[in-house]
Amino acid sequence: MNRESKYFTLSLESLRAIGGWAADCAERALSVYETHADSDTRPRAAIEGIRVFASGGKRTARLRSLALEAHSAARAVGDGAAAAAARAAGLAAASAYTHPLADVHQTKHIVGSAAYAALALELDHGGDPSIGDAEVRWAIEHAPAEVREVLLQMPARQAGKTRLETLLYELDAGIRSQTLPQDA
């Protein structure tokens, strides 16, 4: 077994594209959080922070703080759907710090925001899997080429046992299999 870490090139432009897409995904579930904790702006601040980076801003330590604050909001909210929405926002902000490491765990930095947003909306609709599946399809259809290019540098996720693991897997597999305009 090769235990040597494999690194690849990951540009700031690619991270910005990933961050913008992750923010779009997280924002689709933000109202689920705000319905339960409307005075807590931490998840919204995380999405706003990654949007600043995605549009050309600097990658600062503030993004890490915003991600951690959104995850703290998830732990505090007391509702599964709202917690998933806050986690989506936190992972969106953290996407700017995806490591250029060919490791399956790094894929969560890329597709995690979309998976948690899908889970949040699904849980908010009584656990209806068709809602989560529709969000996964939306995320795959809206993923920029950079998301696919970076995922292809990493090992593919395997199907898991939990609903979140299934959503992560479906996003990873769906984005990898997309035929993008430059591929045609």
Side-chain angles (χ1 to χ4, degrees):
M1 177 189 243
N2 181 3
R3 294 194 175 270
E4 224 175 280
S5 296
K6 182 183 172 208
Y7 289 89
F8 57 91
T9 302
L10 181 56
S11 69
L12 275 178
E13 291 75 25
S14 290
L15 287 173
R16 284 189 170 100
I18 292 166
W21 173 74
D24 290 345
C25 293
E27 194 164 52
R28 291 173 60 83
L30 185 59
S31 66
V32 174
Y33 180 82
E34 291 179 339
T35 296
H36 291 276
D38 65 341
S39 64
D40 187 344
T41 60
R42 292 176 291 179
R44 180 172 293 281
I47 293 170
E48 290 169 358
I50 191 63
R51 286 207 186 281
V52 168
F53 169 72
S55 64
K58 292 187 186 261
R59 185 172 64 167
T60 66
R62 179 73 181 130
L63 270 177
R64 285 188 196 268
S65 297
L66 290 169
L68 291 170
E69 289 166 13
H71 285 292
S72 292
R75 289 189 300 276
V77 72
D79 176 81
R87 285 187 181 93
L91 284 165
S95 69
Y97 291 95
T98 300
H99 297 293
L101 176 62
D103 181 282
V104 72
H105 299 292
Q106 287 298 310
T107 63
K108 189 172 180 183
H109 289 284
I110 299 168
V111 298
S113 181
Y116 272 103
L119 182 63
L121 290 163
E122 181 176 306
L123 292 172
D124 195 52
H125 288 86
D128 181 352
S130 70
I131 301 295
D133 293 342
E135 280 304 302
V136 165
R137 283 191 301 278
W138 184 92
I140 291 168
E141 290 167 7
H142 290 85
E146 293 86 349
V147 171
R148 181 173 180 258
E149 290 165 7
V150 173
L151 281 176
L152 289 172
Q153 299 293 317
M154 299 176 176
R157 293 192 72 86
Q158 300 300 309
K161 294 181 177 144
T162 68
R163 181 61 176 150
L164 178 62
E165 290 168 341
T166 298
L167 293 168
L168 288 163
Y169 168 75
E170 290 172 355
L171 282 156
D172 183 81
I175 292 168
R176 287 172 189 271
S177 68
Q178 283 289 88
T179 302
L180 301 173
Q182 68 270 19
D183 296 337

PDB file of all heavy atoms in Angstrom, residues 2 10 17 19 40 44 75 83 141 156 164 179 181:
ATOM      1  N   ASN A   2       0.563   2.166  -0.865  1.00  0.00           N
ATOM      2  CA  ASN A   2       1.333   3.395  -0.964  1.00  0.00           C
ATOM      3  C   ASN A   2       0.802   4.398   0.054  1.00  0.00           C
ATOM      4  O   ASN A   2      -0.321   4.856  -0.046  1.00  0.00           O
ATOM      5  CB  ASN A   2       1.221   3.954  -2.389  1.00  0.00           C
ATOM      6  CG  ASN A   2       2.022   5.222  -2.582  1.00  0.00           C
ATOM      7  OD1 ASN A   2       2.711   5.677  -1.673  1.00  0.00           O
ATOM      8  ND2 ASN A   2       1.939   5.785  -3.756  1.00  0.00           N
ATOM      9  N   LEU A  10      -3.813  23.190  -7.284  1.00  0.00           N
ATOM     10  CA  LEU A  10      -5.154  23.722  -7.012  1.00  0.00           C
ATOM     11  C   LEU A  10      -5.027  25.244  -6.952  1.00  0.00           C
ATOM     12  O   LEU A  10      -4.450  25.789  -6.019  1.00  0.00           O
ATOM     13  CB  LEU A  10      -5.699  23.157  -5.699  1.00  0.00           C
ATOM     14  CG  LEU A  10      -7.099  23.584  -5.277  1.00  0.00           C
ATOM     15  CD1 LEU A  10      -8.118  23.275  -6.365  1.00  0.00           C
ATOM     16  CD2 LEU A  10      -7.483  22.891  -3.985  1.00  0.00           C
ATOM     17  N   ALA A  17     -14.189  29.309  -7.665  1.00  0.00           N
ATOM     18  CA  ALA A  17     -15.326  28.701  -8.363  1.00  0.00           C
ATOM     19  C   ALA A  17     -16.039  27.703  -7.455  1.00  0.00           C
ATOM     20  O   ALA A  17     -17.272  27.674  -7.394  1.00  0.00           O
ATOM     21  CB  ALA A  17     -14.863  28.020  -9.652  1.00  0.00           C
ATOM     22  N   GLY A  19     -16.005  27.749  -4.172  1.00  0.00           N
ATOM     23  CA  GLY A  19     -16.628  28.532  -3.109  1.00  0.00           C
ATOM     24  C   GLY A  19     -17.929  29.187  -3.543  1.00  0.00           C
ATOM     25  O   GLY A  19     -18.910  29.200  -2.801  1.00  0.00           O
ATOM     26  N   ASP A  40     -29.939  34.761  14.678  1.00  0.00           N
ATOM     27  CA  ASP A  40     -28.559  34.275  14.602  1.00  0.00           C
ATOM     28  C   ASP A  40     -28.088  34.360  13.152  1.00  0.00           C
ATOM     29  O   ASP A  40     -28.567  33.634  12.289  1.00  0.00           O
ATOM     30  CB  ASP A  40     -28.483  32.824  15.095  1.00  0.00           C
ATOM     31  CG  ASP A  40     -27.050  32.317  15.199  1.00  0.00           C
ATOM     32  OD1 ASP A  40     -26.137  32.956  14.621  1.00  0.00           O
ATOM     33  OD2 ASP A  40     -26.854  31.285  15.847  1.00  0.00           O
ATOM     34  N   ARG A  44     -25.513  32.939   7.718  1.00  0.00           N
ATOM     35  CA  ARG A  44     -25.571  33.922   6.627  1.00  0.00           C
ATOM     36  C   ARG A  44     -24.220  34.624   6.459  1.00  0.00           C
ATOM     37  O   ARG A  44     -23.751  34.834   5.340  1.00  0.00           O
ATOM     38  CB  ARG A  44     -26.673  34.948   6.880  1.00  0.00           C
ATOM     39  CG  ARG A  44     -26.774  35.993   5.776  1.00  0.00           C
ATOM     40  CD  ARG A  44     -27.980  36.894   5.923  1.00  0.00           C
ATOM     41  NE  ARG A  44     -29.229  36.188   5.723  1.00  0.00           N
ATOM     42  CZ  ARG A  44     -29.744  35.872   4.538  1.00  0.00           C
ATOM     43  NH1 ARG A  44     -29.087  36.190   3.441  1.00  0.00           N
ATOM     44  NH2 ARG A  44     -30.901  35.248   4.453  1.00  0.00           N
ATOM     45  N   ARG A  75     -24.640  23.463  16.136  1.00  0.00           N
ATOM     46  CA  ARG A  75     -24.711  22.724  17.407  1.00  0.00           C
ATOM     47  C   ARG A  75     -25.721  23.346  18.368  1.00  0.00           C
ATOM     48  O   ARG A  75     -26.306  22.653  19.192  1.00  0.00           O
ATOM     49  CB  ARG A  75     -23.334  22.657  18.056  1.00  0.00           C
ATOM     50  CG  ARG A  75     -22.375  21.726  17.321  1.00  0.00           C
ATOM     51  CD  ARG A  75     -21.075  21.496  18.082  1.00  0.00           C
ATOM     52  NE  ARG A  75     -20.316  22.718  18.321  1.00  0.00           N
ATOM     53  CZ  ARG A  75     -19.477  23.264  17.441  1.00  0.00           C
ATOM     54  NH1 ARG A  75     -19.310  22.719  16.251  1.00  0.00           N
ATOM     55  NH2 ARG A  75     -18.821  24.366  17.743  1.00  0.00           N
ATOM     56  N   ALA A  83     -29.840  22.632  11.743  1.00  0.00           N
ATOM     57  CA  ALA A  83     -28.425  22.327  11.976  1.00  0.00           C
ATOM     58  C   ALA A  83     -27.741  21.959  10.664  1.00  0.00           C
ATOM     59  O   ALA A  83     -26.617  22.408  10.393  1.00  0.00           O
ATOM     60  CB  ALA A  83     -28.283  21.197  12.994  1.00  0.00           C
ATOM     61  N   GLU A 141     -26.184  19.878 -11.672  1.00  0.00           N
ATOM     62  CA  GLU A 141     -26.414  20.665 -12.890  1.00  0.00           C
ATOM     63  C   GLU A 141     -25.743  22.029 -12.839  1.00  0.00           C
ATOM     64  O   GLU A 141     -25.393  22.594 -13.872  1.00  0.00           O
ATOM     65  CB  GLU A 141     -27.918  20.841 -13.120  1.00  0.00           C
ATOM     66  CG  GLU A 141     -28.610  19.562 -13.531  1.00  0.00           C
ATOM     67  CD  GLU A 141     -30.132  19.655 -13.455  1.00  0.00           C
ATOM     68  OE1 GLU A 141     -30.668  20.767 -13.197  1.00  0.00           O
ATOM     69  OE2 GLU A 141     -30.782  18.611 -13.634  1.00  0.00           O
ATOM     70  N   ALA A 156     -12.652   8.652  -5.639  1.00  0.00           N
ATOM     71  CA  ALA A 156     -14.109   8.761  -5.587  1.00  0.00           C
ATOM     72  C   ALA A 156     -14.622   8.306  -4.228  1.00  0.00           C
ATOM     73  O   ALA A 156     -14.061   7.404  -3.609  1.00  0.00           O
ATOM     74  CB  ALA A 156     -14.738   7.925  -6.692  1.00  0.00           C
ATOM     75  N   LEU A 164     -26.735  11.142   4.856  1.00  0.00           N
ATOM     76  CA  LEU A 164     -25.717  12.127   4.491  1.00  0.00           C
ATOM     77  C   LEU A 164     -24.640  11.486   3.611  1.00  0.00           C
ATOM     78  O   LEU A 164     -24.249  12.060   2.591  1.00  0.00           O
ATOM     79  CB  LEU A 164     -25.078  12.755   5.733  1.00  0.00           C
ATOM     80  CG  LEU A 164     -23.962  13.752   5.437  1.00  0.00           C
ATOM     81  CD1 LEU A 164     -24.481  14.952   4.646  1.00  0.00           C
ATOM     82  CD2 LEU A 164     -23.300  14.195   6.723  1.00  0.00           C
ATOM     83  N   THR A 179     -20.842  15.357 -18.356  1.00  0.00           N
ATOM     84  CA  THR A 179     -20.135  15.730 -19.574  1.00  0.00           C
ATOM     85  C   THR A 179     -20.289  17.232 -19.694  1.00  0.00           C
ATOM     86  O   THR A 179     -21.411  17.723 -19.876  1.00  0.00           O
ATOM     87  CB  THR A 179     -20.720  15.019 -20.801  1.00  0.00           C
ATOM     88  OG1 THR A 179     -20.639  13.619 -20.566  1.00  0.00           O
ATOM     89  CG2 THR A 179     -19.957  15.378 -22.053  1.00  0.00           C
ATOM     90  N   PRO A 181     -19.364  21.069 -21.356  1.00  0.00           N
ATOM     91  CA  PRO A 181     -19.227  21.565 -22.726  1.00  0.00           C
ATOM     92  C   PRO A 181     -17.829  21.370 -23.312  1.00  0.00           C
ATOM     93  O   PRO A 181     -17.694  21.009 -24.470  1.00  0.00           O
ATOM     94  CB  PRO A 181     -19.574  23.041 -22.613  1.00  0.00           C
ATOM     95  CG  PRO A 181     -20.487  23.113 -21.426  1.00  0.00           C
ATOM     96  CD  PRO A 181     -20.004  22.037 -20.487  1.00  0.00           C
TER      97      PRO A 181
END
